[in-house]
């Protein structure tokens, strides 16, 4: 008797999700089917792999050992499945693209319905995007960071400028006077006393801007940490408070007067934005179409 690959995939899903029901949802099979796979695997190994509780399946020591044995081979098999899955000739091509959430909202969201191919958008950290691109899990990424993978190439296509903004109801007269008189340290002290918005993922904008223009690390914490930059713009619109964001993400709110641009700095902080692709791809036509859309939007 040999063990079944599906038993191992079910075991992995239970281990990672923690419940039979969640594993069933992930695998698109019934919960009794999950239980059957687990029971069969435990019978084959002769070991109990999970301690069952009312709320969670807790792996036993044997379960942990088995997981460490099978996780890497299973991941390789899943990656191979994505690469070599046979598609019908009339099936639409599927392109996977990695970018930040706000970039998707600003550039691609309105065009999704018109694209002649399927599109999967993934959000995450830039180093992980580069790794997924190199491994073939993504076909295109938009990033301000260039990786060093030999299989990847980067094309600069735009810049983002990091700027200080405020809600249109914010009294900025004193601050703007200090900045106009080049009283930078006094302006920094005043800014530290204001209400600030940021996101957990984009604290680097604040740190880089502050260290470049004020010559120090920002020694204060934002008052409000919200999910993304779009949330910051909505919170500041027709309201009070400050934030530091990329200029292209707040262009519409600035044009409508809902927020105001306070200071770009004496020497603006700018990030070059790149298209990242693999040097060899079978989806060059679709990728070129996406790149054209993005260039036009910027």
């Amino acid at each position: 008797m040999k063990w079944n690959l599906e038993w191992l995939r079910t075991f992995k899903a239970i281990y990672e999700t923690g419940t039979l029901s969640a594993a069933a949802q992930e695998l698109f099979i019934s919960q009794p089917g999950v239980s059957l796979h687990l029971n069969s695997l435990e019978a084959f190994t002769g070991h109990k792999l999970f301690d069952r509780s009312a709320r969670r399946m807790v792996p036993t020591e044997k379960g942990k050992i088995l997981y460490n044995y099978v996780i890497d081979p299973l991941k390789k098999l899943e990656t191979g499945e994505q690469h070599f899955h046979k598609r019908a000739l009339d099936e639409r091509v599927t392109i996977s693209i990695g970018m930040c959430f706000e970039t998707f909202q600003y550039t691609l969201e309105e065009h999704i319905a018109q694209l002649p191919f399927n599109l999967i958008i993934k959000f995450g950290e830039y180093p992980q995007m580069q790794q997924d691109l190199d491994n073939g899990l993504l076909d295109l990424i938009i990033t301000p960071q260039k990786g060093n993978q030999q299989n990847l190439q980067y094309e600069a296509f735009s810049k983002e400028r990091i700027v200080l903004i405020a809600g249109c109801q914010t009294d900025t007269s004193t601050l703007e006077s200090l900045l106009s008189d080049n009283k930078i340290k006094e302006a920094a002290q005043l800014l530290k006393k204001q209400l600030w918005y940021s996101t957990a993922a984009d604290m680097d904008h604040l740190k880089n801007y502050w260290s470049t223009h004020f010559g120090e690390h920002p020694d204060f914490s934002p008052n409000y940490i919200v999910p993304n930059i779009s949330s910051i713009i909505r919170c500041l619109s027709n309201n009070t408070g400050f934030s530091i964001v990329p200029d292209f993400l707040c262009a519409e709110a600035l044009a409508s007067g809902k927020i105001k641009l306070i200071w770009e700095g004496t020497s603006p902080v700018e990030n070059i934005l790149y298209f990242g692709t693999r040097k060899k791809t079978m989806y060059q036509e679709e990728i070129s179409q996406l790149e054209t859309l993005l260039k036009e939007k910027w």
Side-chain angles (χ1 to χ4, degrees), residues 15-288:
Y15 193 102
E16 292 178 350
T17 64
T19 66
L20 297 178
S21 59
Q25 290 178 358
E26 180 172 304
L27 298 169
F28 299 101
I29 61 176
S30 66
Q31 187 168 329
V34 170
S35 297
L36 178 61
H37 287 178
L38 178 58
N39 292 338
S40 299
L41 183 59
E42 288 183 328
F44 177 82
T45 62
H47 297 289
K48 186 178 182 182
L49 301 175
F50 294 95
D51 289 321
R52 293 147 171 89
S53 67
R55 295 186 176 182
R56 191 165 184 83
M57 301 287 284
V58 180
T60 63
E61 287 304 309
K62 290 293 184 181
K64 294 177 182 177
I65 291 172
L66 178 60
Y67 180 82
N68 288 332
Y69 268 114
V70 303
I71 183 60
D72 286 338
L74 283 176
K75 284 185 175 179
K76 289 181 179 179
L77 285 172
E78 289 170 356
T79 300
E81 185 178 42
Q82 291 186 38
H83 276 290
F84 297 106
H85 174 60
K86 184 178 180 181
R87 300 181 180 274
L89 292 178
D90 60 348
E91 186 176 347
R92 284 161 58 107
V93 168
T94 297
I95 303 299
S96 296
I97 180 171
M99 60 175 66
C100 74
F101 176 75
E102 294 85 358
T103 300
F104 166 69
Q105 280 191 316
Y106 182 77
T107 57
L108 277 185
E109 190 172 51
E110 63 182 297
H111 299 290
I112 289 290
Q114 285 75 47
L115 293 174
F117 47 83
N118 299 333
L119 193 66
I120 299 174
I121 307 294
K122 298 184 73 174
F123 309 123
E125 300 295 325
Y126 296 119
Q128 184 62 52
M129 288 185 195
Q130 293 163 357
Q131 183 176 335
D132 288 347
L133 179 64
D134 193 35
N135 291 334
L137 302 180
L138 292 173
D139 301 301
L140 170 69
I141 63 174
I142 299 173
T143 172
Q145 303 173 8
K146 295 172 66 173
N148 56 10
Q149 294 91 341
Q150 293 186 352
N151 188 40
L152 304 184
Q153 60 187 5
Y154 295 88
E155 176 194 349
F157 73 96
S158 186
K159 291 181 180 180
E160 61 179 11
R161 178 169 292 187
I162 310 304
V163 297
L164 173 64
I165 62 171
C168 66
Q169 298 300 318
T170 310
D171 182 2
T172 59
S173 56
T174 302
L175 173 63
E176 291 176 304
S177 177
L178 290 173
L179 292 173
S180 177
D181 294 337
N182 201 34
K183 295 181 178 179
I184 304 303
K185 290 187 177 181
E186 291 87 341
Q189 292 304 313
L190 178 60
L191 279 169
K192 292 178 184 180
K193 300 175 183 177
Q194 308 305 310
L195 290 176
W196 280 88
Y197 289 82
S198 187
T199 73
D202 286 301
M203 289 295 288
D204 283 344
H205 289 326
L206 174 59
K207 294 175 183 176
N208 292 339
Y209 182 96
W210 205 270
S211 61
T212 298
H213 298 308
F214 299 122
E216 60 185 31
H217 184 81
D219 57 354
F220 65 95
S221 298
N223 304 87
Y224 307 111
I225 303 295
V226 298
N228 51 62
I229 295 176
S230 298
S231 299
I232 292 177
I233 304 304
R234 287 193 292 270
C235 289
L236 285 178
S237 292
N238 300 317
N239 215 320
T240 60
F242 290 83
S243 188
I244 291 171
V245 299
D247 58 349
F248 76 94
L249 292 176
C250 61
E252 293 180 5
L254 285 171
S256 65
K258 294 178 180 178
I259 62 174
K260 49 187 178 180
L261 176 64
I262 305 304
W263 198 42
E264 296 184 350
T266 53
S267 179
V269 176
E270 293 184 333
N271 295 323
I272 298 175
L273 297 177
Y274 300 93
F275 292 132
T277 58
R278 289 185 300 283
K279 292 179 180 178
K280 294 183 179 180
T281 175
M282 61 194 310
Y283 303 124
Q284 188 57 56
E285 181 179 348
E286 291 80 11
I287 290 173
S288 295

